Amino acid sequence: MPFLPTISTIFIMISAILVAIGWYLVSKGKYAAHKKVMVAAAISALTFFILYVSRTIFIGNTSFGGPEEMQVYYTIFMVFHIILATTGGAFGLVTLYLAFKRKIEKHRKLGPYTSVIWFFTAITGVIVYLLLYVIYEGGHSTSVFRAIFGG
């Protein structure tokens, strides 16, 4: 298994697990513990992002190495994952901002949506990892656009 993709995927899984723990803690009224866990989740997600961007810049992205007839499904799935990840990241930043600015009512309203989006982002991210490195042998490393859209 490739080292950097494996490590970055572990960080995204950790972030999702920490978000779930944070959700549980806030439901029990343990607000200080919730804050600590959610900050740890954000740091884990940021670590993933830094690893991903670094790998993209210095190595490139791995193209889909599975059967050609699966390429269109993989591409659709990747577009869905990218939309989720972008939305989840933006929602995450806004949700954290609201919490740190003590705009708790708005934070409470947005937080559950952010969490659900992040869970789906993490799940689809793990599926991408499995498709690229476990189920199928990864293709060559190339630019982001070629990795997603082929070519």
Side-chain angles (χ1 to χ4, degrees), residues 7 9 21 27 29 31 39 51 89 99 113 127 137 139 147-148:
I7 296 300
T9 301
I21 292 168
S27 75
Y31 302 114
V39 167
L51 287 169
Y113 295 105
I127 292 170
E137 188 175 323
I148 295 169

Side-chain angles (χ1 to χ4, degrees), residues 36-140:
K36 290 176 185 174
V37 169
M38 297 309 274
V39 167
I43 290 168
S44 181
L46 180 62
T47 302
F48 159 81
F49 185 71
I50 290 167
L51 287 169
Y52 176 79
V53 169
S54 298
R55 186 169 46 96
T56 299
I57 291 169
F58 295 111
I59 299 170
N61 284 68
T62 303
S63 63
F64 182 65
E68 193 172 316
E69 61 272 10
M70 294 292 294
Q71 178 68 45
V72 68
Y73 302 109
Y74 174 78
T75 301
I76 292 167
F77 187 80
M78 276 302 297
V79 168
F80 177 69
H81 171 68
I82 290 167
I83 291 168
L84 273 175
T86 304
T87 304
F91 270 58
L93 290 172
V94 171
T95 304
L96 284 168
Y97 172 81
L98 292 171
F100 283 111
K101 289 296 183 177
R102 307 292 301 153
K103 296 180 180 187
I104 300 304
E105 281 306 310
K106 289 181 180 180
H107 173 80
R108 283 183 184 155
K109 288 179 182 178
L110 190 59
Y113 295 105
T114 303
S115 298
V116 170
I117 293 168
W118 198 249
F119 293 137
F120 281 108
T121 299
I123 291 166
T124 58
V126 170
I127 292 170
V128 167
Y129 172 82
L130 293 172
L131 288 171
L132 287 178
Y133 303 108
V134 178
I135 297 171
Y136 302 111
E137 188 175 323
H140 60 283

